[in-house]
Amino acid sequence: MPELPEVETVRRGLAPAMEGHAIVLAKINRPDLRWPLPERMAERLQGARVLALRRRSKYLLADLSTGETLLVHLGMSGRMLLSGSPLAALHHPHPAPQKHDHVVLHMNAGARITFNDARRFGAMDLMPTETAGQHWLLCDLGPEPFSNDFHEDYLLARLKGRASPIKSALLDQRLLAGLGNIYVSEVLHRAGIDPRRAAGRISATRIASLVPIIRQVLAEAIEAGGSSLRDHRQPDGELGYFQHTFRVYDRAGAPCPTPGCTGTITRITQSGRSSFYCPTCQR
């Protein structure tokens, strides 16, 4: 599942071709993705100008001149592909239509935005912009990691007394928006915290250290274009490269990269998900 860095990479790639430009043609090639698509979706999109392209957690939000916002969730295999844009770093001719091109947006400056999703776990919806934050997929989300609402006092208060493992706590989107399995594993290794430790039994100093580490890991991943493990691609088709700098994720059996540590990266299962950590330096 794409996490915050992958979705932010997609947003940045699409923004020059979408923001300030109108959708002159919307082609909807099926009635549903993970859930049914909005009624009269093509009609409601055509002619609308994209005022802003935002990201909230793992969702893309396109605010339209019609007073509606288009929500896009990539799911497990969804891709937003950009072609034919003179505004992009490179000009990509329009490829031939593919089997899983479910929604295609033609922009007035010549760009084409294609939502391709082989597994159809992605989603799209339209909602009033003024109440977008109340949408059922967005209303319970915690603060953004780079926002002023996410700080040491907030994290300490939210984790106080929690018996759940710190790994599970940081994956809770109600606590913090956008973090997923990959980046939580990387964050906890840098912080030297065992993913199995009860969140409420970790010292205040160590909890406070998580805030800058989370921001640093996410910033580095965004700069690298995200992590391409299976399906993630940038809008121009390029891969992300952060996976080449993973310290622990998907590195079971490898030596721990922490200077002076002689441990070996270990894989365990927590709540049905793989956790990667070093039993020697993460405590």
Side-chain angles (χ1 to χ4, degrees):
M1 189 75 71
E3 300 181 29
L4 186 156
E6 288 74 48
V7 179
E8 178 62 19
T9 297
V10 171
R11 187 200 68 79
R12 294 183 182 189
L14 294 177
M18 294 187 72
E19 288 188 331
H21 298 284
I23 302 169
V24 295
L25 176 64
K27 295 187 66 177
I28 314 300
N29 296 324
R30 60 174 301 110
D32 58 5
L33 292 170
R34 186 173 183 180
W35 301 292
L37 291 171
E39 294 183 2
R40 301 182 296 105
M41 183 174 179
E43 178 185 338
R44 292 160 69 181
L45 291 175
Q46 285 175 183
R49 186 172 297 275
V50 179
L51 303 179
L53 187 63
R54 304 181 284 126
R55 179 195 54 76
R56 180 70 171 107
S57 184
K58 304 173 187 179
Y59 302 93
L60 287 172
L61 300 170
D63 296 331
L64 307 175
S65 58
T66 56
E68 290 193 300
T69 290
L70 173 66
L71 177 148
V72 180
H73 181 47
L74 298 176
M76 297 182 70
S77 61
R79 301 178 186 176
M80 295 288 282
L81 302 175
L82 171 63
S83 61
S85 173
L87 299 175
L90 295 174
H91 182 83
H92 293 269
H94 296 317
Q98 301 296 310
K99 177 180 179 181
H100 301 294
D101 290 351
H102 304 310
V103 177
V104 184
L105 306 178
H106 295 262
M107 310 303 294
N108 65 335
R112 188 174 81 186
I113 315 298
T114 301
F115 182 80
N116 178 285
D117 188 0
R119 301 176 71 180
R120 298 202 307 275
F121 286 155
M124 285 190 175
D125 203 359
L126 280 166
M127 56 203 172
T129 301
E130 64 180 0
T131 58
Q134 300 172 25
H135 189 276
W136 68 277
L137 289 172
L138 307 177
C139 63
D140 292 327
L141 293 174
E144 292 287 321
F146 294 110
S147 74
N148 292 333
D149 293 329
F150 179 58
H151 47 75
E152 295 177 4
D153 290 341
Y154 167 82
L155 193 58
L156 285 166
R158 291 299 305 270
L159 295 181
K160 184 178 180 179
R162 289 185 69 149
S164 60
I166 184 64
K167 169 82 180 295
S168 301
L170 292 179
L171 287 175
D172 184 351
Q173 298 300 295
R174 297 167 298 180
L175 175 78
L176 184 62
L179 278 183
N181 202 36
I182 292 174
Y183 298 108
V184 171
S185 290
E186 292 297 302
V187 163
L188 291 176
H189 181 260
R190 294 194 189 192
I193 297 175
D194 189 315
R196 300 169 298 178
R197 284 285 301 275
R201 301 189 65 181
I202 301 172
S203 71
T205 300
R206 301 184 80 196
I207 290 295
S209 74
L210 287 170
V211 174
I213 292 173
I214 287 170
R215 288 174 172 157
Q216 180 182 15
V217 168
L218 294 177
E220 290 176 8
I222 292 169
E223 183 66 24
S227 302
S228 294
L229 295 180
R230 294 188 180 90
D231 299 295
H232 171 66
R233 297 290 188 277
Q234 300 181 52
D236 61 4
E238 292 294 317
L239 298 172
Y241 294 98
F242 189 72
Q243 70 273 13
H244 299 302
T245 65
F246 285 167
R247 296 191 183 192
V248 291
Y249 189 82
D250 206 27
R251 295 190 67 243
C256 177
T258 300
C261 181
T262 59
T264 299
I265 304 305
T266 298
R267 174 189 175 277
I268 60 174
T269 301
Q270 292 181 284
S271 302
R273 298 182 181 183
S274 294
S275 290
F276 298 89
Y277 77 111
C278 174
T280 301
C281 67
Q282 288 180 252
R283 298 174 179 266

